[in-house]
Amino acid sequence: MFNGSMFLIGLLQALLLLMVSPFFAGLARVLRAKMHSRQGPPVFQYYYDILKLMKRQEVRPAYTTWVFRATPYIIMATVLLIAMLLPMGTLASPLGSAGDFIVVVYLFTVIRFFLAVSGLDSGSGFAGTGSIREMGISALVEPTIMLVLFILACFARTTNLGVIGQMIASGKLPYTSPVIWLGMAAFAITSFIEMGKLPFDLAEAEQEIQEGPLTEYSGRSLALIHWGLLMKQVLAAALFLAVFFPFGNAATTDLVAVAAGLALFLLKIACCFCIAAVLENSMARLTIYKAPQLTWFALGIAMLSFIFYLVQV
Amino acid sequence: MDARGFFSLAVFLYTAGGLLALLFNRAARTANLITGLSACMASISGIISAILVFTTGAGFSINASGWLPLTRFIIDVDQLSAFMVLVICFLAAATSLYSISYLNEYKQKNPGLLGLLYNLFIASMVLVVTVGNALYFLIFWEVMTLVSYFLVIYERDQRSINGGFLYFLVAHAGTSLIMVALLVFSAKTGSFDFSAFRKANLSPVLSSVIFVLAFTGFSAKAGAVPLHFWLPEAHSAAPSNVSSLLSGVMIKTAIYGIIRVCVDFLGAGYWWWGFLVLAVGTVSAVLGVIYALAQHDIKRLLAFHSVENIGIILMGVGTGIIGLATGNPALMTLGLLAGLYHTFNHAVFKGLLFLGAGSVLYRTHTRNFEELGGLARKMPFTALFFLTGAISISALPPLNGFVSEWFTFQSLLSMGVRGGLADKFWGPLFAALLALASALTAMCFVKTYGITFAGPFRTSKAEVAVEVPFSMILGKFLLAIGCLVLGLGAPALAPRIAGMATDLVGSKTVSVATGLTTFAGNPAQGMLSTPLLSVLLAGLLFLPLLIVAVFGRSGSHPRIDPTPWACGYRYEPAMACTARSFAQVMQSIFHPLYTVKTSFKGKKAAGEYFQTSLVYEVQEDDMWTRYCGRPLARGVLSLSRTLQNLQMGNVRFYCFYIIAVLVILLAVIGL
């Protein structure tokens, strides 16, 4: 069951993600600036921010308890664990025997849960509102994610992410099938929301939703939690890629193939972030109360995909 | 001493302890000590007996027909009964330790009587799940209902009397259906013994009728939608240690009943039986949590979550019945495994949460958690254990709630993959609804923990609270450990529970675990290793610590500000988030399900906004209570009043009744 080299690949993925996630966020920010005809910050701005924050003194409200202090570490550990579970450079899931997509989806809930609890723990009204929105939106998104993944799981007869990816990579479920492109559309919308992008979030006003619960964090805690959330954004895209675009991933644990797979993975993530940035900037921002409309729409598309799945079988 | 001996000892200790407590009714502390210790020792004895049954693999039976009247009195313990005894006794042991201090709340209110009822309640539950004779099953079922009714109305205020009345009505309506179902069995077999029921040869129509009767009757007791409206009223009205038992295990006796009658006796004949159970379960799961989100009474909120979790259990049981009916032993095993595992898990984490709520109540005397806040600083252990329970019930890996939900998802997948078109349709759809329910649960418990234990003190009630006495911490600690063990021990426990399911229907064993990994009948269908996940999580915690150690400035101490920064506004505790604001989000989305009344009091004419204070009031009204519960209660009361007209106190009318009955009887016999 337990495969040493796969475990190392998983660890490699986690470390890689840790290293590159601020870059992608920076990339998205530069792209946005260019589209606004602005100069924009350097691509590596997030690295400088994190390093600087690490050295800063922390300020905490007196109300906070251990939950507030532990949350950055818990979020970081959970994000890294998800990075170990997702197939990124390989076709097989590095830790397929430890968890499947159900585990991945629920680990995303762990991140949200602690983020939201820590927001309430700070006692700030802004952080609390952020917590509510974080949990509310996730509740609206989760059924769609589960439905799309379940349709694919029914095809592949497994919940193992690697096997589902292989099914698509081997063309058993061709892209011409409406099941897959409708599913992909629905999943793309949910990933987009999970990445904390518009229409409900505005990256320059970070207090708003995604980072609302961060309001009271400072210093190294803020650095860690911010870093963790940047990784979470990449992971939301990575989950989408692992399921729908597993091409180029290594079929073996051969070092060269894995390295090539990971390089390609980074390229794919960069594409995702570019597309997301373009979409985000060509879109008006909606009030939070419009959120259900979009998520119902995504659920509707997922249902259509499901109907096609039923008819075809 | 063998399993039988420990079992008898348990029943004896419950009864003796209860009676002894009654003797010390005047000496409150002694009575409470006797109540708690005797119930705890009895429960430990029950646990040992159940574990002995598991390890030896053989059940036991006690035949006491000789000295008890009516039909044969038989205790018949197989693996399923032993499992239920284990679940009941584990929660009862922790709750009883907790009760030693908690019952001091009831010093003035006949503590001895409360102790007797408490012990009898546990004993009756243990007997319900072990008795092997339909008549005694009904008797113990009734004892359980009555004793729990008295416990629900123990506080004797208007709220508990109303809740108790609703409970009394629904429970008895359910019991009468169960009674009819069991009587049909005995009419067909000529015996009251469960062993005879298994061999009953029933026509398809009759067995379906029995199924519908039994399922409706038991689901009334379980609190499944649409017969759930009594549950939040009754469970929230009882003393908290009793609430913990009511929500944690009493409603599970109904799950036991469903499995016993529908799977064991009737052999799950038809697909639609399973589908009905599954559909009722899914609806309960989703509606339960949607209503829970609107609550700001901590005990009502937890009670609504019992509706949700009963739903999840029924989803597992339903897929199990579908598997058995369609001749798919793997699906049958998975479904029952998911249902029974969740039965145990829910008992542990819901028990824990209710004990946590009881601790809050013990110190603050308010159930409205809008008035609390910041309790984690005053009651750190209670907060920690409540958070553990909250994580479990939100199905966050690697704790126990996640494991059983994972199995539920897997059984729905198996159903969707291997079944007919209807299974293919409903499997993924129900899975998506389960995902919705658990996402909402996470939201609800962020709210419950966050508003009650985190943030500023919202009123002075929270500010003066202190940590609860040791025995109350110990009880919760045991259950929190239970959450961990049931989560991380899944690879060891799942095969045992799966074995119990296959043992029940006598099919071949289905493998669900190897080494540290659990899987769903077939490793290729997806694997889960909670021990590995938790080791990895713990290991990965070192990475951020390392990063901080390397990049952070050593020796920098955090500055503690008296108030949060709050984006620069001058801070007041009233600015902190409220439970209402959580509910409001969901109410805007699911508003047809709530009947929300909002009202303004005070002037709000133009120009006067700043002169008078406005009172904004929001009332949620559960639509089921309004359209089912209250009309039912009113209907029964008016019917009873109408029937009172028969008793007019005139002797001539009573003579007339006697003669009328005689004539009817003669006519019947004559025919």
Side-chain angles (χ1 to χ4, degrees):
Chain A
M1 275 308 156
F2 192 77
N3 187 329
S5 55
M6 284 309 259
F7 176 76
L8 285 180
I9 290 176
L11 211 57
L12 184 68
Q13 287 184 4
L15 291 175
L16 181 75
L17 191 81
L18 190 71
M19 302 315 293
V20 300
S21 54
F23 168 78
F24 287 112
L27 182 71
R29 211 163 141 187
V30 168
L31 276 174
R32 186 165 53 238
K34 297 289 174 212
M35 270 183 262
H36 291 178
S37 309
R38 288 189 283 119
Q39 178 76 39
V43 182
F44 296 105
Q45 184 62 47
Y46 279 109
Y47 292 97
Y48 309 144
D49 289 353
I50 288 170
L51 276 178
K52 184 121 202 184
L53 281 171
M54 283 283 178
K55 304 229 180 285
R56 290 286 168 124
Q57 189 195 19
E58 249 186 277
V59 182
R60 270 203 306 265
Y63 295 146
T64 54
T65 58
W66 63 270
V67 179
F68 185 81
R69 269 167 276 150
T71 295
Y73 298 91
I74 294 173
I75 286 182
M76 200 66 153
T78 314
V79 169
L80 290 168
L81 181 59
I82 300 176
M84 291 183 76
L85 288 169
L86 285 180
M88 292 180 188
T90 50
L91 277 174
S93 169
L95 287 176
S97 61
D100 51 8
F101 74 69
I102 305 173
V103 174
V104 171
V105 170
Y106 277 77
L107 282 174
F108 275 112
T109 315
V110 173
I111 300 173
R112 260 181 236 122
F113 185 90
F114 277 96
L115 192 61
V117 169
S118 75
L120 290 172
D121 201 23
S122 71
S124 162
F126 294 91
T129 309
S131 304
I132 293 171
R133 295 182 173 187
E134 180 80 31
M135 298 311 289
I137 288 186
S138 83
L140 292 170
V141 168
E142 204 123 302
T144 312
I145 294 181
M146 220 31 156
L147 186 59
V148 174
L149 288 174
F150 239 75
I151 298 165
L152 296 174
C154 283
F155 257 112
R157 299 180 162 234
T158 177
T159 51
N160 186 314
L161 272 171
V163 182
I164 292 176
Q166 279 163 35
M167 176 188 70
I168 288 175
S170 65
K172 259 187 223 153
L173 186 60
Y175 281 109
T176 48
S177 156
V179 178
I180 196 146
W181 52 261
L182 284 170
M184 201 190 293
F187 206 86
I189 296 176
T190 55
S191 301
F192 194 62
I193 298 174
E194 285 276 312
M195 282 166 78
K197 299 286 180 188
L198 278 176
F200 309 117
D201 211 347
L202 193 62
E204 270 118 18
E206 316 247 50
Q207 272 78 10
E208 301 235 0
I209 299 163
Q210 181 91 35
E211 306 197 345
L214 271 60
T215 312
E216 299 298 326
Y217 276 104
S218 56
R220 60 176 67 156
S221 294
L222 180 62
L224 280 181
I225 205 164
H226 198 85
W227 201 350
L229 290 180
L230 293 180
M231 285 165 74
K232 190 197 144 199
Q233 287 187 5
V234 179
L235 281 175
L239 176 61
F240 177 75
L241 289 175
V243 174
F244 290 103
F245 291 100
F247 301 101
N249 287 5
T252 58
T253 53
D254 177 42
L255 198 63
V256 181
V258 172
L262 283 176
L264 195 63
F265 167 77
L266 293 181
L267 215 60
K268 286 189 274 190
I269 290 280
C271 284
C272 278
F273 269 75
C274 289
I275 296 170
V278 172
L279 278 176
E280 189 179 18
N281 287 292
S282 53
M283 215 179 249
R285 187 156 176 271
L286 299 177
T287 62
I288 188 77
Y289 301 105
K290 301 276 183 199
Q293 290 177 8
L294 186 75
T295 53
W296 288 135
F297 177 63
L299 187 62
I301 301 177
M303 278 303 291
L304 265 182
S305 155
F306 180 47
I307 301 290
F308 275 107
Y309 154 77
L310 285 174
V311 176
Q312 275 188 351
V313 175
Chain B
M1 204 155 53
D2 60 353
R4 184 196 313 230
F6 278 110
F7 181 82
S8 317
L9 180 66
V11 176
F12 169 75
L13 279 175
Y14 283 127
T15 325
L19 290 172
L20 199 61
L22 189 62
L23 278 183
F24 286 91
N25 199 13
R26 296 285 170 82
R29 283 194 179 274
T30 323
N32 294 341
L33 198 64
I34 292 170
T35 307
L37 283 183
S38 70
C40 183
M41 284 192 302
S43 303
I44 290 169
S45 171
I47 293 172
I48 295 172
S49 138
I51 288 175
L52 282 177
V53 171
F54 276 123
T55 49
T56 57
F60 62 89
S61 59
I62 301 171
N63 193 338
S65 312
W67 50 277
L68 275 169
L70 301 167
T71 66
R72 277 152 40 82
F73 178 81
I74 249 187
I75 296 286
D76 209 350
V77 179
D78 59 358
Q79 305 260 318
L80 178 65
S81 295
F83 176 73
M84 293 306 297
V85 170
L86 179 66
V87 174
I88 293 168
C89 288
F90 181 69
L91 180 58
T95 308
S96 304
L97 281 179
Y98 176 92
S99 303
I100 295 175
S101 302
Y102 183 75
L103 288 178
N104 288 338
E105 284 281 280
Y106 296 87
K107 256 186 270 184
Q108 311 300 328
K109 297 178 182 167
N110 292 324
L113 181 62
L114 186 55
L116 175 67
L117 289 172
Y118 176 82
N119 273 289
L120 280 185
F121 178 45
I122 306 173
S124 65
M125 286 191 291
V126 167
L127 286 167
V128 158
V129 298
T130 50
V131 76
N133 180 290
L135 193 68
Y136 279 101
F137 177 83
L138 288 171
I139 290 174
F140 290 131
W141 185 265
E142 190 56 30
V143 170
M144 180 176 83
T145 307
L146 285 178
V147 171
S148 55
Y149 166 72
F150 286 124
L151 286 167
V152 166
I153 60 162
Y154 204 81
E155 299 200 4
R156 294 190 198 91
D157 51 2
Q158 197 54 42
R159 150 206 213 103
S160 59
I161 287 170
N162 287 348
F165 179 63
L166 214 51
Y167 169 49
F168 192 79
L169 281 183
V170 178
H172 281 91
T175 308
S176 57
L177 295 179
I178 299 166
M179 199 185 287
V180 173
L182 291 178
L183 285 178
V184 172
F185 259 122
S186 72
K188 280 283 160 187
T189 57
S191 162
F192 277 109
D193 282 1
F194 281 173
S195 51
F197 288 6
R198 288 192 187 95
K199 301 186 196 85
N201 200 2
L202 299 166
S203 70
V205 178
L206 199 58
S207 60
S208 289
V209 169
I210 293 178
F211 164 75
V212 171
L213 286 173
F215 178 61
T216 318
F218 283 122
S219 64
K221 188 76 172 184
V225 173
L227 296 171
H228 70 286
F229 48 82
W230 61 271
L231 197 148
E233 316 294 331
H235 287 200
S236 63
S240 298
N241 55 342
V242 176
S243 305
S244 150
L245 289 174
L246 284 169
S247 260
V249 287
M250 189 197 75
I251 55 177
K252 309 301 170 43
T253 57
I255 299 294
Y256 166 82
I258 291 172
I259 294 178
R260 189 56 93 197
V261 173
C262 305
V263 179
D264 192 12
F265 298 167
L266 295 171
Y270 302 96
W271 176 86
W272 66 268
W273 295 8
F275 180 74
L276 184 66
V277 177
L278 180 55
V280 167
T282 313
V283 173
S284 304
V286 175
L287 286 184
V289 64
I290 287 178
Y291 287 124
L293 261 168
Q295 306 304 318
H296 44 76
D297 172 333
I298 191 162
K299 286 179 75 178
R300 270 177 70 91
L301 180 139
L302 292 176
F304 268 113
H305 271 288
S306 295
V307 175
E308 183 227 346
N309 280 285
I310 275 293
I312 296 173
I313 294 169
L314 285 178
M315 287 175 84
V317 174
T319 35
I321 294 177
I322 288 180
L324 190 57
T326 53
N328 183 346
L331 181 56
M332 188 279 301
T333 314
L334 265 184
L336 286 184
L337 163 63
L340 289 170
Y341 208 135
H342 203 70
T343 302
F344 201 166
N345 289 340
H346 178 241
V348 175
F349 61 64
K350 186 52 68 64
L352 174 57
L353 290 168
F354 260 118
L355 296 189
S359 308
V360 171
L361 208 59
Y362 186 78
R363 285 303 188 208
T364 63
H365 296 102
T366 177
R367 297 140 59 113
N368 180 359
F369 54 85
E370 300 270 36
E371 294 177 8
L372 301 172
L375 286 180
R377 278 169 286 150
K378 298 288 184 179
M379 308 165 80
F381 293 108
T382 304
L384 174 64
F385 298 141
F386 195 89
L387 187 64
T388 313
I391 291 172
S392 285
I393 198 174
S394 307
L396 302 185
L399 291 193
N400 61 352
F402 176 71
V403 178
S404 43
E405 275 196 30
W406 187 83
F407 275 114
T408 314
F409 275 120
Q410 288 292 351
S411 60
L412 288 170
L413 178 70
S414 294
M415 186 177 118
V417 168
R418 294 191 185 79
L421 188 63
D423 287 348
K424 281 196 164 61
F425 180 69
W426 291 109
L429 218 55
F430 284 158
L433 286 172
L434 180 58
L436 174 68
S438 67
L440 290 173
T441 307
M443 181 171 181
C444 195
F445 277 91
V446 164
K447 161 182 130 171
T448 316
Y449 178 84
I451 306 294
T452 314
F453 291 98
F457 306 119
R458 287 179 177 79
T459 59
S460 59
K461 280 180 185 161
E463 211 164 347
V464 298
V466 286
E467 187 56 277
V468 290
F470 176 71
S471 89
M472 289 171 75
I473 295 176
L474 186 64
K476 284 176 292 185
F477 172 72
L478 284 179
L479 293 174
I481 293 294
C483 284
L484 270 176
V485 169
L486 284 168
L488 302 191
L493 292 165
R496 289 207 176 272
I497 302 176
M500 201 165 67
T502 45
D503 179 61
L504 194 66
V505 294
S507 71
K508 66 176 170 37
T509 52
V510 174
S511 157
V512 290
T514 52
L516 291 177
T517 316
T518 49
F519 48 82
N522 171 10
Q525 203 191 307
M527 289 182 277
L528 167 72
S529 173
T530 39
L532 196 55
L533 285 179
S534 23
V535 168
L536 281 172
L537 267 180
L540 287 171
L541 271 178
F542 282 100
L543 206 52
L545 287 173
L546 188 73
I547 292 171
V548 166
V550 172
F551 295 105
R553 180 173 291 165
S554 57
S556 98
H557 290 288
R559 193 181 87 209
I560 310 292
D561 277 4
T563 59
W565 167 60
C567 297
Y569 290 91
R570 204 187 68 182
Y571 185 78
E572 287 199 22
M575 283 164 70
C577 195
T578 61
R580 259 268 8 112
S581 33
F582 271 88
Q584 193 274 337
V585 175
M586 284 301 125
Q587 273 170 1
S588 66
I589 299 167
F590 299 107
H591 64 87
L593 293 172
Y594 302 100
T595 41
V596 184
K597 276 186 286 188
T598 53
S599 60
F600 280 106
K601 279 178 196 155
K603 290 178 187 170
K604 56 168 189 171
E608 286 187 74
Y609 283 116
F610 302 105
Q611 291 158 21
T612 56
S613 62
L614 280 178
V615 178
Y616 174 65
E617 209 175 352
V618 183
Q619 278 186 324
E620 290 98 4
D621 204 3
D622 174 11
M623 108 186 158
W624 302 87
T625 316
R626 177 188 265 194
Y627 297 115
C628 301
R630 278 180 220 146
L632 179 78
R634 269 199 301 270
V636 169
L637 281 180
S638 72
L639 181 70
S640 324
R641 275 193 210 100
T642 321
L643 286 177
Q644 273 176 5
N645 293 339
L646 288 173
Q647 306 272 356
M648 49 191 62
N650 189 329
V651 180
R652 281 170 291 179
F653 273 98
Y654 290 113
C655 290
F656 169 70
Y657 292 154
I658 292 167
I659 292 166
V661 170
L662 272 176
V663 169
I664 292 167
L665 279 178
L666 283 173
V668 169
I669 293 164
L671 287 171

